[in-house]
């Protein structure tokens, strides 16, 4: 495995997986960063379904993160367009389009701004099928939003709001860890007959580079992936945090601790079986996410695994997460669940 | 409108200039032209003219006037370029007043005695249509009364009536095509009734029985019918408005001869989704008809506590949306306005806003006693003297299309059918327990499979903890 560095300006790469992990496609492709991979997915989505639309603030010229580059030129302004600056309108409009059988791929400019749309997502999109007795549905709705720390984002350009959405029956929540994963997962989300919230780790838009197959492929939802096998402790994470966790695993290995690392990918509904099987093997669990620890999604994973694996556990479940503060600017390096915080937690869990 | 004359050199041009701000809303520029049905002769044929085409040309022609007149004013001969286009300038500091001196007038065709006001513009309604409209208005009244009583008797858990708003409900529905997609708020069951939802279907939803299309998941009155193009009702207010913009846009892209039609109350226009919905519909040029039932009350909140504008109609222009205020208790006026708006929306691919003035005669719902916050004689006044059903009945009767005998036959039949429907709905089986877990997603995920198994075991073990009749 190629050497990976921390959150520096060096580009991170995602080499091929350790054995035992599943992949939809082992073909090599072009070297792409995250925003290009997402862009490819969107091109394919619009190309394969004439009733699909991409819209949101500033998507017309390519978007503030370039994820929508070339779409308006290729598919026309009727299908790829800017919207007024109004998240509740963007999602509400998307629900209406989806309810009519179209695929509405909606962009929220930063996950930090998704909250005005929370009512539409929770009270409308999530319940659209159920409340109508399956007469109606808005399964064609996919909401994309950049999330997570970026080094200088502060309160409103760094948030990880996934936990709010994981508490809503009726929607799915998906978070990719890399360009190759993002393309396959996004295409699955778009084509899934349920409304999906897709959080893209903005830190990786440029930083992550990986070989991404150029064809149309999908990675299944609600299937977690063991991306590194080990025996002493199971680590579970998602998105950009996995690269940090992977570094911690490498350091731990040098000290004789064998770590199993799982990418959850879909947080709702999540793959309990894969995590359960791993923890039954290792006897230890560590969860890491950027979002604040209290009420974070790690709590759900911890509670579930405790229920299912109590007698197999050698130590309490460890959570290495963001602090319970608004995401700070100058204090970001202190706030974040860093590699060394994770490594310390691995060691204290193993030595419990 | 308060007009500032202080420094204007040319009083007349200033007056014209100021009046232009309301010119677009001036009745004579937007209302149908005389080729419509004339008030002096009775119309008995069923042929409908297609007058709306000329209506469209009239209305768009007017919009070009303001530019023309502005240039007459000496001060405003020059223009400035800004993003958004050219705008004239003036050295006279003039604030647009917070309100016009005159409220936007209300379009009405029938007077309170059910007589057509001389020289009214309106789209003719045949005997067949008029009788059907009246029957449905009366049926809605009977339905509301009986379901309300059923709730009071504890047979259903909740109900809300549309008393006082029968004209809006039925006349708007009559003016639409069945392909128009309706996104209701919750006080528009008449639209569903018009389209063919049966009394049994209404009752089934209220009882949440096995025949309820909604599968017993929501409170009573949360009807929905994909067959009749009526989106399932949800309790949150105004959420349907931006969705309607999306629906309209879809219809436009599919080149359908149809529009989205969505309803909202006066209270709902304070929600952010009202702003979002209108703005999106306007920017996306979506064929949407927004119908606001201004009935004066949002539960206990009177409109004086809801907004400071002249109602809702004036907000349309703020979004670039053509608007009209109509007497919501005048079935003919509502019919004409909605029919015209619908044609504009579809042929011009634009949104239209209708503010239908009315009064909520009933309580907000069975959980409300409105005498606690408004005078009982206010309610009585509207119920007796401003009743939309009586008013339309007078017109239909005056035409010789309806009689006292027809009336009693209709009401007793409707009553009988409703009682039968309720009795039948009560006897229906309950939904099977599995419907608690279906349709959360398209396919039941593992966690729900587990929870369903767990619940089944619990119910079998301790049936006394759970209501009877839900087959496992």
């Amino acid at each position: 495995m190629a050497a990976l560095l921390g959150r520096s300006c060096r580009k991170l790469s995602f080499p091929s997986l350790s054995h035992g992990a599943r992949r939809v496609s082992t073909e090599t492709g072009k070297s792409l960063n995250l925003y290009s991979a997402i862009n490819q997915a969107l091109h394919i989505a619009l190309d394969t379904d004439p009733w699909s639309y991409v819209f949101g603030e500033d998507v017309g010229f390519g978007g503030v993160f370039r994820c929508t580059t070339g779409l308006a030129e290729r598919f026309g302004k009727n299908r790829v367009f800017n919207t007024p600056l109004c998240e509740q309108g963007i999602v509400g409009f998307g629900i209406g389009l989806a309810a009519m059988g179209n695929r509405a791929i909606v962009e929220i400019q930063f996950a930090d701004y998704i909250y005005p749309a929370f009512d539409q997502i929770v009270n409308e999109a999530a319940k659209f099928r159920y409340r109508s007795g399956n007469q109606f549905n808005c399964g064609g709705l996919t909401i994309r939003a950049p999330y997570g720390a970026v080094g200088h984002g502060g309160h409103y350009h760094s948030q990880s709001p996934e936990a709010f959405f994981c508490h809503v029956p009726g929607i799915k929540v998906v978070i990719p860890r890399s360009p190759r994963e993002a393309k396959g997962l996004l295409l699955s989300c778009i084509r899934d007959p349920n409304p999906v919230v897709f959080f893209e780790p903005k830190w990786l838009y440029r930083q992550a580079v990986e070989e991404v197959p150029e064809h149309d492929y999908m990675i299944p939802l609600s299937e977690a992936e063991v991306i590194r096998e080990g025996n002493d402790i199971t680590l579970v994470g998602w998105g950009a945090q996995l690269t940090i966790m992977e570094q911690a695993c490498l350091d731990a290995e040098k000290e004789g601790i064998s770590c199993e690392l799982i990418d959850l990918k879909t947080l709702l509904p999540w793959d309990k079986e894969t995590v359960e099987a791993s923890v039954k093997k290792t006897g230890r669990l560590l969860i890491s996410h950027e979002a604040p620890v209290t009420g974070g999604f790690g709590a759900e994973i911890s509670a579930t695994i405790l229920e299912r694996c109590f007698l197999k556990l050698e130590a309490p479940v460890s959570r290495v997460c963001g602090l319970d503060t608004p995401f700070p600017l100058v204090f970001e390096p202190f706030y974040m669940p860093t590699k060394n915080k994770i490594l310390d937690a691995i060691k204290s869990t193993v030595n419990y | 409108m308060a007009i500032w004359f202080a420094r204007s050199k040319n009083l007349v041009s200033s007056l014209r200039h100021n009046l232009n701000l309301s010119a677009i809303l001036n009745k004579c520029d937007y209302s149908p032209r005389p080729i419509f049905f004339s008030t002096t002769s009775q119309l008995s044929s069923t042929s409908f003219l297609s007058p709306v085409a000329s209506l469209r040309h009239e209305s768009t022609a007017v919009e070009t006037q303001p530019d023309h007149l502005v240039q007459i004013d000496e001060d405003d001969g020059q223009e400035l370029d800004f993003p958004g286009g050219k705008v004239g300038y003036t050295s006279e500091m003039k604030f647009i007043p917070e309100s016009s001196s005159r409220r936007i007038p209300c379009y009405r065709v029938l007077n309170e005695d059910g007589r057509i006001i001389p020289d009214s513009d309106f789209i003719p309604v045949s005997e067949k249509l008029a009788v059907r409209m009246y029957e449905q208005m009366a049926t809605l009244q009977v339905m509301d009364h009986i379901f309300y009583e059923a709730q009071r008797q504890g047979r259903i858990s909740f109900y809300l009536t549309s008393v006082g708003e029968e004209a809006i409900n039925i006349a708007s529905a009559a003016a639409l095509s069945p392909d128009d997609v309706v996104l209701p708020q919750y006080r528009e069951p008449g639209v569903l009734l018009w389209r063919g939802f049966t009394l049994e279907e209404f009752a089934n939803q209220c009882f949440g029985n096995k025949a309820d299309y909604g599968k017993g998941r929501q409170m009573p009155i949360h009807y929905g019918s994909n067959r009749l193009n009526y989106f399932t009702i949800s309790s949150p207010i105004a959420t349907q408005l931006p969705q309607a913009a999306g629906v309209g846009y879809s219809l436009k892209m599919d080149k359908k001869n149809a529009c989205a039609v969505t309803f909202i109350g006066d209270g709902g226009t304070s929600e952010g989704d009202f702003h979002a919905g209108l703005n999106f519909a306007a920017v996306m040029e979506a064929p949407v008809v927004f119908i606001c039932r201004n009935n004066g009350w949002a539960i206990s909140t009177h409109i004086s506590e809801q907004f400071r504008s002249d109602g809702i109609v004036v907000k349309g222009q703020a979004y670039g949306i053509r608007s009209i205020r109509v007497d919501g208790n005048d079935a003919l006026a509502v019919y004409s306005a909605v029919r015209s708006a619908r044609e504009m929306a579809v042929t011009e691919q634009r949104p239209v806003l209708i503010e239908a003035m009315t009064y909520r005669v009933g309580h907000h719902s069975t959980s409300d006693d409105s005498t606690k916050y408004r005078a009982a004689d206010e309610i009585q006044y509207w119920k007796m003297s401003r009743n939309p059903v009586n008013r339309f009945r007078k017109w239909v009767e005056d035409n010789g299309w309806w009689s006292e005998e027809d009336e009693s036959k209709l009401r007793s039949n409707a009553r009988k059918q409703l009682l039968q429907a309720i009795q039948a709905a009560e006897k229906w089986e309950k939904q099977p327990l599995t419907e608690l877990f279906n349709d959360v997603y398209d396919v039941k995920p593992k966690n729900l499979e587990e929870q369903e198994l767990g619940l089944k075991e619990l119910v079998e073990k301790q049936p006394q903890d759970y209501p009877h009749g839900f087959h496992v």
Side-chain angles (χ1 to χ4, degrees):
Chain A
M1 193 180 290
L4 298 163
L5 297 180
R7 295 204 168 189
S8 62
C9 27
R10 261 272 301 261
K11 284 194 193 295
L12 302 171
S13 49
F14 290 79
S16 55
L17 297 174
S18 51
H19 69 278
R22 286 165 291 159
R23 260 226 195 274
V24 171
S25 164
T26 51
E27 285 175 42
T28 52
K30 247 172 82 180
S31 221
L32 289 185
N33 62 21
L34 183 68
Y35 76 73
S36 302
I38 287 168
N39 185 247
Q40 258 191 23
L42 294 174
H43 273 269
I44 290 171
L46 291 177
D47 194 36
T48 52
D49 180 2
W51 285 277
S52 51
Y53 298 82
V54 168
F55 51 92
E57 294 154 29
D58 303 299
V59 304
F61 84 103
V64 294
F65 289 111
R66 303 212 214 154
C67 294
T68 52
T69 308
L71 292 174
E73 292 89 330
R74 184 171 168 200
F75 298 103
K77 285 178 151 198
N78 286 334
R79 292 179 66 195
V80 180
F81 48 87
N82 291 342
T83 60
L85 209 169
C86 180
E87 288 76 13
Q88 67 197 94
I90 292 169
V91 174
F93 186 88
I95 291 171
L97 262 178
M100 297 294 285
N102 304 292
R103 290 203 159 93
I105 307 158
V106 143
E107 178 173 304
I108 299 295
Q109 199 156 86
F110 282 86
D112 313 57
Y113 311 140
I114 200 166
Y115 308 110
F118 203 66
D119 186 34
Q120 286 284 350
I121 296 170
V122 173
N123 274 332
E124 297 293 312
K127 299 171 170 58
F128 215 81
R129 186 192 294 275
Y130 190 77
R131 75 190 187 198
S132 72
N134 202 24
Q135 292 189 91
F136 297 99
N137 75 77
C138 61
L141 178 67
T142 302
I143 301 168
R144 299 177 35 247
Y147 90 100
V150 72
H152 54 273
H155 295 353
Y156 305 113
H157 298 83
S158 316
Q159 286 179 41
S160 298
E162 69 271 10
F164 297 117
F165 297 93
C166 291
H167 195 53
V168 185
I171 56 171
K172 296 194 176 182
V173 180
V174 177
I175 306 183
R177 71 169 186 272
S178 77
R180 191 169 184 162
E181 289 288 309
K183 179 177 169 180
L185 284 170
L186 181 55
L187 280 167
S188 290
C189 292
I190 290 168
R191 292 161 176 167
D192 190 283
N194 298 288
V196 183
V197 180
F198 187 76
F199 287 117
E200 300 165 359
K202 67 173 84 66
W203 170 252
L204 301 182
Y205 274 145
R206 287 173 201 265
Q207 293 289 17
V209 175
E210 193 176 25
E211 298 251 312
V212 179
E214 288 188 71
H215 61 268
D216 183 348
Y217 66 94
M218 289 163 62
I219 293 176
L221 301 185
S222 295
E223 285 185 26
E225 185 181 355
V226 179
I227 62 176
R228 180 193 171 86
E229 287 192 357
N231 297 300
D232 297 329
I233 180 172
T234 301
L235 283 81
V236 175
W238 50 87
Q241 191 62 8
L242 282 166
T243 62
I244 309 300
M245 296 165 85
E246 200 154 19
Q247 294 159 28
C249 292
L250 286 168
D251 280 10
E253 195 171 34
K254 293 182 191 126
E255 301 192 37
I257 301 172
S258 160
C259 299
E260 181 143 297
L261 182 57
I262 298 178
D263 177 8
L264 206 57
K265 302 195 201 192
T266 301
L267 272 61
L268 185 74
W270 68 282
D271 178 0
K272 301 179 186 178
E273 283 67 33
T274 299
V275 179
E276 183 185 347
S278 172
V279 176
K280 280 184 170 158
K281 180 175 79 168
T282 64
R284 295 175 190 89
L285 176 62
L286 183 151
I287 305 152
S288 184
H289 56 65
E290 286 179 29
V293 61
T294 298
F297 196 63
E300 155 67 22
I301 300 172
S302 174
T304 299
I305 294 304
L306 271 167
E307 280 167 13
R308 293 179 175 218
C309 308
F310 185 69
L311 291 175
K312 297 275 192 183
L313 283 168
E314 302 281 345
V317 175
S318 173
R319 292 181 294 163
V320 184
C321 302
L323 302 173
D324 287 334
T325 68
F327 200 105
L329 181 65
V330 302
F331 306 107
E332 177 169 330
F334 299 90
Y335 168 93
M336 290 290 282
T338 58
K339 178 201 76 166
N340 283 335
K341 283 186 189 176
I342 296 171
L343 187 57
D344 283 351
I346 291 173
K347 286 192 270 194
S348 56
T349 304
V350 167
N351 296 327
Y352 188 77
Chain B
M1 164 169 35
I3 297 168
W4 287 46
F5 294 125
R7 279 150 51 197
S8 174
K9 295 155 186 87
N10 187 332
L11 205 72
V12 172
S13 71
S14 174
L15 192 78
R16 257 200 251 149
H17 177 52
N18 284 318
L19 282 176
N20 274 324
L21 292 173
S22 57
I24 296 170
L25 303 169
N26 193 316
K27 173 195 183 274
C28 57
D29 297 313
Y30 272 66
S31 64
R33 293 289 118 196
I35 60 169
F36 278 113
F37 174 70
S38 159
T39 58
T40 53
S41 60
Q42 292 287 358
L43 187 78
S44 54
S45 80
T46 54
S47 66
F48 290 133
L49 304 167
S50 183
V52 288
S54 64
L55 170 66
R56 166 169 37 107
H57 295 314
E58 286 293 346
S59 55
T60 49
V62 169
E63 281 166 343
T64 61
Q65 278 183 31
D67 286 336
H68 173 67
L69 278 169
V70 164
Q71 274 153 18
I72 292 173
D73 196 314
E74 294 164 32
D75 277 343
D76 301 342
Q78 307 212 41
E79 290 176 318
L80 297 171
D81 260 312
F82 278 111
K86 291 191 188 300
V87 59
Y89 65 85
T90 172
S91 304
E92 185 183 340
M93 184 174 68
K94 193 162 57 176
F95 284 74
I96 299 173
E98 64 276 14
S99 63
S100 298
S101 57
R102 186 170 168 252
R103 293 191 63 187
I104 301 298
C106 194
Y107 165 58
R108 144 194 271 223
V109 173
L110 283 177
N111 65 18
E112 287 303 340
D113 297 321
R115 303 245 150 74
I116 290 182
I117 297 164
D119 297 321
S120 292
D121 299 315
F122 68 102
I123 300 172
V125 170
S126 69
E127 172 180 351
K128 185 164 165 218
L129 182 61
V131 167
R132 177 149 194 256
M133 280 167 65
Y134 178 73
E135 283 175 339
Q136 296 268 293
M137 286 166 73
T139 303
L140 178 57
Q141 276 187 324
V142 179
M143 182 174 103
D144 271 347
H145 175 72
I146 292 187
F147 277 129
Y148 188 91
E149 289 308 309
Q151 192 279 341
R152 281 294 179 249
Q153 292 165 16
R155 295 158 89 178
I156 56 177
S157 57
F158 175 84
Y159 192 72
L160 61 75
T161 67
S162 309
V163 180
E165 301 183 50
E166 295 86 355
I168 294 175
N169 265 253
I170 300 299
S172 67
L176 300 174
S177 117
D179 294 331
D180 295 329
V181 179
V182 175
L183 292 91
Q185 176 58 69
Y186 51 57
R187 217 179 287 278
E188 305 91 18
V191 177
L192 203 47
L193 183 68
W194 178 270
R195 286 186 165 192
F197 211 59
T198 65
L199 299 176
E200 288 77 24
E201 287 171 316
F202 280 111
N204 289 335
Q205 195 284 330
C206 288
F207 282 88
N209 61 30
K210 195 168 179 199
D212 170 25
Y213 303 131
K215 304 191 181 158
R217 293 164 184 159
Q218 287 208 91
M219 284 168 70
I221 73 92
H222 289 70
Y223 316 111
S225 168
N226 56 359
R227 182 176 62 91
L228 300 175
N229 285 325
Y230 188 96
F231 272 34
T232 300
I233 290 169
S234 70
S235 309
I237 302 289
T239 49
Q240 67 278 10
L241 299 178
Q243 294 172 18
V247 169
Y249 189 74
S250 176
L251 291 169
K252 166 168 142 162
M253 288 299 289
D254 290 350
K255 297 186 167 48
K256 295 269 201 270
N257 179 3
C259 65
V261 180
T262 185
F263 293 84
I264 188 70
D266 41 281
T269 66
S270 297
E271 280 283 359
D273 273 338
F274 173 79
H275 166 72
L278 265 68
N279 197 31
F280 269 70
V283 168
M284 300 308 301
E285 296 174 9
V288 185
V289 178
F290 293 96
I291 301 178
C292 174
R293 296 175 293 94
N294 183 347
N295 65 19
W297 294 92
I299 309 187
S300 70
T301 305
H302 185 251
I303 47 177
S304 56
E305 297 179 311
Q306 197 66 249
F307 39 69
R308 279 283 176 273
S309 53
D310 172 18
I312 286 89
V313 65
V314 294
K315 299 186 184 192
Q317 194 176 51
Y319 296 101
I321 293 179
R322 199 173 296 166
S323 336
I324 189 169
R325 166 172 280 159
V326 66
D327 178 349
N329 287 2
D330 176 347
L332 289 183
V334 172
Y335 179 81
S336 287
V338 174
R339 180 105 186 254
S340 306
R342 189 247 172 225
E343 294 303 322
M344 279 182 226
V346 174
T347 57
E348 294 180 65
Q349 303 281 273
R350 58 162 67 239
V352 182
L353 171 67
I354 298 175
E355 178 184 16
M357 311 297 285
T358 182
Y359 186 85
R360 193 197 76 208
V361 172
H363 306 305
H364 164 70
S365 74
T366 49
S367 308
D368 177 48
D369 172 11
S370 61
T371 59
K372 286 197 159 33
Y373 50 80
R374 57 184 184 175
D377 45 330
E378 174 188 306
I379 305 171
Q380 268 303 97
Y381 164 72
W382 282 92
K383 187 172 182 177
M384 306 311 292
S385 318
R386 303 287 295 276
N387 187 315
V389 184
N390 292 347
R391 192 159 148 208
F392 191 58
R393 178 182 165 180
K394 284 181 197 150
W395 183 70
V396 176
E397 279 181 344
D398 282 350
N399 285 335
W401 300 339
W402 192 254
S403 70
E404 192 58 56
E405 200 193 315
D406 293 326
E407 179 76 16
S408 49
K409 214 163 67 172
L410 173 84
R411 293 214 178 238
S412 68
N413 277 344
R415 192 182 155 77
K416 202 165 67 181
Q417 278 173 46
L418 268 154
L419 290 172
Q420 281 170 359
I422 288 177
Q423 280 163 19
E426 257 174 339
K427 292 207 183 78
W428 263 99
E429 269 184 83
K430 297 209 165 58
Q431 289 282 345
L433 193 58
T434 192
E435 291 300 348
L436 168 55
F437 299 97
N438 287 338
D439 304 327
V440 180
Y441 298 93
D442 65 318
V443 167
K444 211 181 297 181
K446 284 210 186 83
N447 60 323
L448 286 183
E449 281 175 355
E450 284 168 19
Q451 289 175 19
E452 185 172 4
L453 274 170
L455 185 63
K456 277 187 186 165
E457 282 173 19
L458 267 177
V459 172
E460 270 155 23
K461 210 166 64 169
Q462 289 156 349
Q464 69 281 4
D465 278 356
Y466 303 97
H468 298 297
F470 293 88
H471 291 300
V472 161

Tab-separated table of all heavy atoms in Angstrom, chain A residues 209-227:
chain	number	residue	atom	x	y	z
A	209	VAL	N	-7.102	11.232	-5.325
A	209	VAL	CA	-6.973	10.848	-6.730
A	209	VAL	C	-6.930	9.332	-6.794
A	209	VAL	O	-6.255	8.683	-5.991
A	209	VAL	CB	-5.689	11.424	-7.346
A	209	VAL	CG1	-5.501	10.912	-8.774
A	209	VAL	CG2	-5.755	12.939	-7.344
A	210	GLU	N	-7.675	8.769	-7.730
A	210	GLU	CA	-7.783	7.314	-7.790
A	210	GLU	C	-8.107	6.904	-9.221
A	210	GLU	O	-8.631	7.699	-10.008
A	210	GLU	CB	-8.922	6.873	-6.867
A	210	GLU	CG	-8.973	5.388	-6.577
A	210	GLU	CD	-10.088	5.067	-5.580
A	210	GLU	OE1	-11.063	5.843	-5.499
A	210	GLU	OE2	-9.978	4.040	-4.895
A	211	GLU	N	-7.813	5.685	-9.519
A	211	GLU	CA	-8.205	5.153	-10.822
A	211	GLU	C	-9.698	4.885	-10.799
A	211	GLU	O	-10.171	4.112	-9.968
A	211	GLU	CB	-7.473	3.826	-11.072
A	211	GLU	CG	-5.956	3.951	-11.110
A	211	GLU	CD	-5.435	3.769	-12.530
A	211	GLU	OE1	-5.858	2.801	-13.180
A	211	GLU	OE2	-4.617	4.601	-12.969
A	212	VAL	N	-10.406	5.520	-11.693
A	212	VAL	CA	-11.854	5.360	-11.733
A	212	VAL	C	-12.260	4.804	-13.098
A	212	VAL	O	-11.967	5.425	-14.120
A	212	VAL	CB	-12.563	6.715	-11.497
A	212	VAL	CG1	-14.074	6.559	-11.566
A	212	VAL	CG2	-12.150	7.315	-10.159
A	213	PRO	N	-12.907	3.638	-13.123
A	213	PRO	CA	-13.348	3.089	-14.419
A	213	PRO	C	-14.261	4.075	-15.122
A	213	PRO	O	-15.084	4.743	-14.480
A	213	PRO	CB	-14.111	1.819	-14.032
A	213	PRO	CG	-13.642	1.475	-12.678
A	213	PRO	CD	-13.261	2.751	-12.009
A	214	GLU	N	-14.125	4.134	-16.439
A	214	GLU	CA	-14.868	5.150	-17.171
A	214	GLU	C	-16.297	4.758	-17.491
A	214	GLU	O	-17.110	5.602	-17.845
A	214	GLU	CB	-14.119	5.494	-18.462
A	214	GLU	CG	-12.861	6.286	-18.176
A	214	GLU	CD	-12.199	6.799	-19.440
A	214	GLU	OE1	-12.768	7.719	-20.073
A	214	GLU	OE2	-11.129	6.272	-19.794
A	215	HIS	N	-16.605	3.463	-17.347
A	215	HIS	CA	-17.944	3.042	-17.742
A	215	HIS	C	-18.953	3.269	-16.631
A	215	HIS	O	-18.632	3.765	-15.558
A	215	HIS	CB	-17.907	1.566	-18.152
A	215	HIS	CG	-17.482	0.658	-17.036
A	215	HIS	ND1	-16.176	0.301	-16.828
A	215	HIS	CD2	-18.198	0.065	-16.045
A	215	HIS	CE1	-16.104	-0.498	-15.769
A	215	HIS	NE2	-17.311	-0.643	-15.283
A	216	ASP	N	-20.166	2.859	-16.930
A	216	ASP	CA	-21.287	2.990	-15.996
A	216	ASP	C	-21.242	1.824	-15.011
A	216	ASP	O	-21.380	0.677	-15.417
A	216	ASP	CB	-22.584	2.956	-16.835
A	216	ASP	CG	-23.845	3.149	-16.022
A	216	ASP	OD1	-23.798	3.084	-14.778
A	216	ASP	OD2	-24.892	3.378	-16.655
A	217	TYR	N	-21.021	2.084	-13.747
A	217	TYR	CA	-21.054	0.999	-12.768
A	217	TYR	C	-21.693	1.489	-11.475
A	217	TYR	O	-21.715	2.690	-11.202
A	217	TYR	CB	-19.643	0.448	-12.480
A	217	TYR	CG	-18.725	1.423	-11.799
A	217	TYR	CD1	-18.574	1.464	-10.407
A	217	TYR	CD2	-17.983	2.335	-12.559
A	217	TYR	CE1	-17.739	2.379	-9.791
A	217	TYR	CE2	-17.141	3.251	-11.950
A	217	TYR	CZ	-17.019	3.274	-10.571
A	217	TYR	OH	-16.187	4.196	-9.973
A	218	MET	N	-22.218	0.553	-10.723
A	218	MET	CA	-22.885	0.924	-9.478
A	218	MET	C	-22.333	0.107	-8.327
A	218	MET	O	-22.003	-1.072	-8.483
A	218	MET	CB	-24.396	0.658	-9.608
A	218	MET	CG	-25.052	1.650	-10.558
A	218	MET	SD	-26.667	1.151	-11.161
A	218	MET	CE	-27.591	1.082	-9.663
A	219	ILE	N	-22.229	0.731	-7.188
A	219	ILE	CA	-21.800	0.048	-5.973
A	219	ILE	C	-23.029	-0.078	-5.082
A	219	ILE	O	-23.738	0.916	-4.865
A	219	ILE	CB	-20.674	0.837	-5.281
A	219	ILE	CG1	-19.424	0.807	-6.173
A	219	ILE	CG2	-20.358	0.240	-3.910
A	219	ILE	CD1	-18.259	1.621	-5.650
A	220	PRO	N	-23.302	-1.271	-4.568
A	220	PRO	CA	-24.567	-1.450	-3.840
A	220	PRO	C	-24.656	-0.623	-2.561
A	220	PRO	O	-23.665	-0.396	-1.863
A	220	PRO	CB	-24.577	-2.951	-3.510
A	220	PRO	CG	-23.248	-3.469	-3.845
A	220	PRO	CD	-22.538	-2.500	-4.714
A	221	LEU	N	-25.899	-0.214	-2.262
A	221	LEU	CA	-26.138	0.522	-1.018
A	221	LEU	C	-26.363	-0.466	0.121
A	221	LEU	O	-26.680	-1.624	-0.091
A	221	LEU	CB	-27.364	1.425	-1.186
A	221	LEU	CG	-27.278	2.453	-2.303
A	221	LEU	CD1	-28.504	3.365	-2.266
A	221	LEU	CD2	-26.015	3.285	-2.208
A	222	SER	N	-26.238	0.022	1.317
A	222	SER	CA	-26.442	-0.765	2.544
A	222	SER	C	-25.526	-1.976	2.612
A	222	SER	O	-25.870	-2.970	3.254
A	222	SER	CB	-27.921	-1.168	2.681
A	222	SER	OG	-28.701	-0.012	2.860
A	223	GLU	N	-24.371	-1.894	1.971
A	223	GLU	CA	-23.365	-2.954	2.095
A	223	GLU	C	-22.072	-2.305	2.537
A	223	GLU	O	-21.456	-1.553	1.786
A	223	GLU	CB	-23.148	-3.672	0.763
A	223	GLU	CG	-24.281	-4.619	0.424
A	223	GLU	CD	-23.995	-5.414	-0.850
A	223	GLU	OE1	-22.813	-5.618	-1.186
A	223	GLU	OE2	-24.974	-5.794	-1.502
A	224	ALA	N	-21.656	-2.632	3.774
A	224	ALA	CA	-20.396	-2.095	4.263
A	224	ALA	C	-19.255	-2.902	3.659
A	224	ALA	O	-19.450	-4.017	3.185
A	224	ALA	CB	-20.357	-2.185	5.780
A	225	GLU	N	-18.069	-2.343	3.672
A	225	GLU	CA	-16.923	-3.025	3.059
A	225	GLU	C	-15.753	-3.074	4.027
A	225	GLU	O	-15.384	-2.052	4.621
A	225	GLU	CB	-16.519	-2.263	1.800
A	225	GLU	CG	-15.417	-2.942	1.016
A	225	GLU	CD	-15.019	-2.142	-0.216
A	225	GLU	OE1	-15.676	-1.110	-0.503
A	225	GLU	OE2	-14.056	-2.538	-0.871
A	226	VAL	N	-15.196	-4.270	4.179
A	226	VAL	CA	-13.967	-4.400	4.967
A	226	VAL	C	-12.823	-4.004	4.056
A	226	VAL	O	-12.485	-4.732	3.121
A	226	VAL	CB	-13.788	-5.855	5.454
A	226	VAL	CG1	-12.493	-5.982	6.245
A	226	VAL	CG2	-14.983	-6.284	6.299
A	227	ILE	N	-12.243	-2.842	4.303
A	227	ILE	CA	-11.201	-2.386	3.383
A	227	ILE	C	-9.805	-2.724	3.871
A	227	ILE	O	-8.816	-2.507	3.181
A	227	ILE	CB	-11.324	-0.876	3.082
A	227	ILE	CG1	-11.161	-0.023	4.334
A	227	ILE	CG2	-12.662	-0.591	2.416
A	227	ILE	CD1	-11.182	1.476	4.009
